[in-house]
Amino acid sequence: MNIKLSTPPGAVRPAGREWLESWDPENPDTWDHHLAWRTLWISTFTLTLCFASWFLASAIAPKLTNLGFDLTTGQLYWLTAMPGVAGGLMRLVWMVLPPMMGTRKMVALTTVLLLIPVVGWGVQVQDPTTPFWMLLSLSFLSGIGGGAFSGFMPSTSYFFPRRKQGTALGLQAGIGNFGVSLVQLATPWIIGFSMIGFLGGSQPMAGAPGKPAQEVWYQNAAYIYVPFIVVGAVLAWTMLRSVPITANIRQQFDIFRNPDTWWMTLLYVMTFGTFAGLSGQFGLLMKNLYGAGNPDIVQGAGAAAKLLIAGYSIPDPVTFVFLGPLVGAAARVLFSPLTDRFGGARWTLVSGIGIIASIGYTLTALQPDTSSAEALDAGFYRFLWGMLAIFLFSGIGNASTFKQMPMIFERRQAGGVIGWTAAIAAFGPFFFGFGLTIMSPTVFYLIGLAFAVLCVGVTWTRYARPGAPKPS
């Protein structure tokens, strides 16, 4: 996108005003790195809250039936899939906002909007009679947090020179992705005491078969983020500035005439689409394969349930589910500087090959062997390690693809391509949730394996091989 330079490079308006008079991050003599890094850290803090809000349903849904909600397995999958639909649709809106609204207004107002789904979940989880359509609406509104990514990332890219964009965008996206682990790790802990109990009373939550119910304050899972959201919005409004970009909506959409837009969309679906999809479905998938959702393992219902496999300890998904997003987010942060040093395409190739191998390994554990407790335990840990490997390689690919895009596209287009690819990949939770409701996990993973093979072929042919048309 064209950057205005109407005054000498580096000159800015007084600190109290929003818009920079001019901005040229490629000029090291005038680039204000303090402003750039301040923008990165504040928008990354708020983006982390966006991801926590976006995946709140994935942390809450697996335990709703334990709280007395009358929901089917299919309805639970839809609750965790709907934020993906909404996030993808909203990213198509947020991707065009940075040039129109500027960084300051966009980040501050988006952060305020997070209060709608977060407070809504806090209120409704206290009432087991809440109708399914209301819960589904809250899942849709959680997509606001997902939509933010396609605005925040292009906006941040305006502040950094190309040589640093791999690191900057990797840090922002990677740390932001930690919001997924944050919400899944914090939920089982924060609901256990009445730290903010004045906002609602406790509820009995049924435990694993044979274990007593426990008193929980499930509303805490949502309310805990409210003060941080308020702080983030205030910081964004008071400390951020905006880069003047000249690009209307029609100009931004000329990216669709570039074939690399479509190739990079495929690659980002393989990487972030996998990360987001598995993050949303990991807990339910574990519960239905190796937990209390598998009728071959558990017989009966509630406290009267009896284990068919004597000696098998049914895993609680909340104990493990945060690990996947944590591994993926950490990989994105740690590998981002490496993509700046060695280039993105070769790491995308590593990512794709690793995803193929990890899916192949996980496929061996998608049909639990219920012949003995030992066989079940072995299968569970194969499933767990296979899933963590998929998260690892998808995280590497998340970093490398975001290094590739600023190198492949001119600056005017790079922000739009980042927003577009992020929008499509955000449908990951929906694709995974919908797919797992209409087909077996084995068939779904085989389709994913074939897609990853296709993406590796695209990466090698277009970007990574010697003499590639677009080395990046």
Side-chain angles (χ1 to χ4, degrees):
M1 295 179 183
N2 298 322
I3 299 179
K4 295 179 180 178
L5 293 171
S6 55
T7 58
V12 298
R13 290 183 178 182
R17 304 177 68 175
E18 175 183 356
W19 293 92
L20 301 171
E21 289 287 355
S22 62
W23 186 255
D24 185 8
E26 301 299 338
N27 186 340
D29 296 326
T30 59
W31 177 50
D32 186 349
H33 66 279
H34 294 295
L35 174 59
W37 286 102
R38 184 173 76 225
T39 301
L40 175 68
W41 296 126
I42 292 175
S43 57
T44 297
F45 172 67
T46 56
L47 184 63
T48 303
L49 296 171
C50 288
F51 269 89
S53 171
W54 190 23
F55 281 86
L56 192 58
S58 72
I60 288 176
K63 292 293 186 181
L64 287 178
T65 53
N66 299 73
L67 292 169
F69 285 79
D70 185 17
L71 299 169
T72 66
T73 299
Q75 287 175 322
L76 291 174
Y77 271 126
W78 272 108
L79 288 180
T80 55
M82 186 55 69
V85 178
L89 293 174
M90 292 184 188
R91 284 187 178 190
L92 297 175
V93 177
W94 259 261
M95 65 178 280
V96 302
L97 295 183
M100 300 169 63
M101 294 183 66
T103 300
R104 175 174 171 251
K105 288 190 181 74
M106 181 191 64
V107 174
L109 295 179
T110 300
T111 306
V112 170
L113 288 176
L114 298 179
L115 292 172
I116 299 174
V118 168
V119 173
W121 276 115
V123 171
Q124 297 302 331
V125 295
Q126 300 178 68
D127 182 9
T129 65
T130 300
F132 175 66
W133 68 264
M134 176 66 74
L135 298 176
L136 200 62
S137 298
L138 289 174
S139 288
F140 184 86
L141 291 172
S142 295
I144 293 171
F149 187 88
S150 283
F152 284 30
M153 296 295 287
S155 176
T156 298
S157 73
Y158 301 156
F159 287 85
F160 286 87
R162 285 189 174 187
R163 70 183 186 279
K164 291 185 177 292
Q165 286 193 11
T167 298
L169 296 180
L171 286 172
Q172 180 166 52
I175 295 174
N177 289 167
F178 278 122
V180 184
S181 290
L182 174 66
V183 72
Q184 293 175 341
L185 176 61
T187 295
W189 171 72
I190 199 66
I191 64 174
F193 54 94
S194 59
M195 182 178 69
I196 45 180
F198 65 91
L199 293 174
S202 64
Q203 304 162 266
M205 183 172 71
K211 295 184 179 180
Q214 64 177 122
E215 290 295 310
V216 297
W217 290 260
Y218 217 65
Q219 65 273 17
N220 292 4
Y223 286 151
I224 189 63
Y225 300 104
V226 171
F228 296 101
I229 290 172
V230 173
V231 169
V234 171
L235 287 174
W237 188 258
T238 58
M239 300 186 68
L240 294 185
R241 300 293 177 264
S242 300
V243 176
I245 302 294
T246 55
N248 58 35
I249 293 179
R250 181 184 61 80
Q251 290 172 322
Q252 293 185 66
F253 282 176
D254 71 357
I255 61 174
F256 300 121
R257 293 196 294 269
N258 189 328
D260 287 297
T261 298
W262 303 104
W263 294 129
M264 290 308 301
T265 299
L266 282 180
L267 300 188
Y268 200 57
V269 168
M270 176 187 71
T271 58
F272 184 78
T274 298
F275 171 84
L278 288 183
S279 295
Q281 304 299 332
F282 192 12
L284 281 175
L285 190 59
M286 183 183 295
K287 179 179 179 179
N288 291 333
L289 288 175
Y290 287 94
N294 188 333
D296 291 331
I297 295 175
V298 179
Q299 179 176 287
K306 297 180 179 179
L307 298 183
L308 290 180
I309 311 300
Y312 178 65
S313 179
I314 295 180
D316 187 347
V318 300
T319 305
F320 301 95
V321 70
F322 75 94
L323 290 172
L326 180 65
V327 168
R332 188 168 198 167
V333 172
L334 295 175
F335 279 83
S336 291
L338 295 177
T339 66
D340 272 339
R341 183 173 180 181
F342 299 108
R346 64 182 62 183
W347 285 111
T348 301
L349 191 65
V350 169
S351 168
I353 294 172
I355 288 174
I356 290 170
S358 303
I359 292 176
Y361 181 79
T362 308
L363 276 166
T364 66
L366 295 181
Q367 295 179 330
D369 181 355
T370 58
S371 62
S372 68
E374 291 77 12
L376 267 174
D377 278 327
F380 170 72
Y381 284 104
R382 281 203 313 276
F383 169 76
L384 178 62
W385 286 112
M387 292 287 283
L388 294 182
I390 297 173
F391 275 109
L392 170 65
F393 288 107
S394 68
I396 293 173
N398 288 339
S400 61
T401 50
F402 264 45
K403 172 61 180 179
Q404 286 183 262
M405 284 181 268
M407 303 304 295
I408 294 170
F409 301 92
E410 60 178 286
R411 181 176 293 275
R412 187 182 66 79
Q413 290 187 322
V417 174
I418 289 172
W420 165 257
T421 57
I424 300 304
F427 285 105
F430 168 71
F431 292 145
F432 275 68
F434 180 70
L436 290 170
T437 61
I438 64 172
M439 65 186 76
S440 71
T442 298
V443 173
F444 184 76
Y445 273 63
L446 285 171
I447 293 173
L449 181 66
F451 180 72
V453 170
L454 169 65
C455 290
V456 166
V458 170
T459 302
W460 173 255
T461 303
R462 186 74 177 169
Y463 306 112
R465 66 179 173 84
K470 291 288 185 176
S472 53

